[in-house]
Amino acid sequence: MTIFYERHGHGPDVVLVHGWGLHGGVWSDVARELSAEYRVTVPDLPGHGRSRDFLPREFTPEVLAEEVQRVLPGPAIWVGWSMGAFVALAAAQHFPQAIIKLVLVGATPKYVQSADWPHAMSLTVLEQFALSLEQDYAATLERFLSLQMAAGEDRAVLRRLRDELFRHGHPPTAALREGLRLLKQEDRRAALPGIAVPTLVVHGERDRITPVGAARFLAEQLPQAQLELVPGAGHAPFLSHTAPFLETLKGFMHG
């Protein structure tokens, strides 16, 4: 059994990896645009979307990356958003032969603040999400989506995220719980200098989930990285600022 995926277009391979609680449908506009030049694979991660009944042996970035790699025709440009960026980083670290280039969107090497890491949400906030998930997961997911918006950003982005959220049924609470545990525990900072693949870090300038300091750290620590900030954007610049996002993405992919 493998995870669900869609594939569109012809050309060099690209894979688009979504974030926590959502599914591949969130990439639909980007996938449609890229499919004119690329063969685009859009998976639903285990426990999400149309892979909701597929739970891996472990819910770790490495195992999730392995499941994504399994459905790819060959080496690809990996584009990961939010938790999907954890998956893409794990792929670049453990399966470098599968990576042509790496694109990290709304990414961070560590989601939770610590004494040596201010560029993140507090542990209290994430633990409150975990507690609320057990009581009312729909409301918890809605709150998480609202955090992805920057102040003053077009509310159509939030409506789009809400529309996608339950399009393929309700995600299993177990998968959501495991995803939060992953976000709480993972720290990939030490691995970054060893990931020697051309990398684009794209980040909303007003991201409230992964502050821009995290993006600057990624760009400094990854040996072949470049940083592009999207002015006025929150956590999902590919939805709120699609045209400039695509321009930046295509420029990097063509380069």
Side-chain angles (χ1 to χ4, degrees):
M1 182 177 180
T2 60
I3 57 176
F4 177 89
Y5 65 93
E6 292 185 347
R7 184 165 289 141
H8 311 278
H10 302 277
D13 281 298
V14 178
V15 58
L16 306 175
V17 189
H18 65 82
W20 180 79
L22 287 156
H23 53 79
V26 77
W27 289 111
S28 58
D29 292 343
V30 173
R32 187 181 308 111
E33 180 71 21
L34 294 181
S35 64
E37 302 177 67
Y38 297 90
R39 179 167 56 179
V40 184
T41 300
V42 189
D44 287 355
L45 291 173
H48 294 70
R50 286 158 287 185
S51 299
R52 64 188 306 278
D53 296 323
F54 183 101
L55 295 179
R57 65 185 187 278
E58 290 182 280
F59 209 92
T60 65
E62 288 75 18
V63 171
L64 298 181
E66 186 179 351
E67 296 299 339
V68 172
Q69 184 193 10
R70 189 170 293 161
V71 302
L72 295 179
I77 300 171
W78 284 57
V79 183
W81 170 54
S82 197
M83 188 182 79
F86 262 170
V87 177
L89 281 170
Q93 182 183 357
H94 296 281
F95 315 116
Q97 73 283 356
I99 310 289
I100 298 171
K101 291 183 177 181
L102 189 62
V103 181
L104 305 174
V105 186
T108 180
K110 188 175 187 292
Y111 269 87
V112 178
Q113 288 177 1
S114 58
D116 62 345
W117 185 248
H119 315 298
M121 67 178 76
S122 71
L123 178 60
T124 303
V125 170
L126 203 61
E127 287 181 336
Q128 185 58 50
F129 268 115
L131 179 63
S132 300
L133 192 68
E134 304 301 326
Q135 299 167 348
D136 187 346
Y137 76 89
T140 303
L141 288 172
E142 288 268 352
R143 181 175 166 227
F144 183 73
L145 294 185
S146 69
L147 283 176
Q148 303 192 31
M149 301 291 298
E153 207 168 32
D154 187 351
R155 304 302 289 181
V157 176
L158 182 56
R159 290 194 296 272
R160 170 71 181 279
L161 288 168
R162 284 172 174 160
D163 288 345
E164 292 295 344
L165 185 57
F166 300 123
R167 186 180 297 277
H168 304 298
H170 291 184
T173 305
L176 296 175
R177 187 188 302 122
E178 284 296 296
L180 282 181
R181 181 195 56 75
L182 182 157
L183 298 183
K184 179 180 174 181
Q185 295 180 357
E186 283 293 320
D187 181 353
R188 310 200 76 82
R189 288 177 293 174
L192 299 177
I195 299 175
V197 60
T199 303
L200 172 66
V201 180
V202 186
H203 214 85
E205 201 174 42
R206 298 163 73 182
D207 193 325
R208 293 191 290 165
I209 292 179
T210 55
V212 71
R216 297 188 191 282
F217 183 87
L218 285 168
E220 291 167 359
Q221 295 295 310
L222 290 163
Q224 298 188 57
Q226 64 186 71
L227 173 63
E228 293 289 342
L229 296 180
V230 183
H235 192 56
F238 60 97
L239 292 177
S240 62
H241 296 67
T242 307
F245 174 83
L246 281 167
E247 182 179 0
T248 298
L249 178 63
K250 287 181 175 181
F252 174 73
M253 291 164 68
H254 290 159

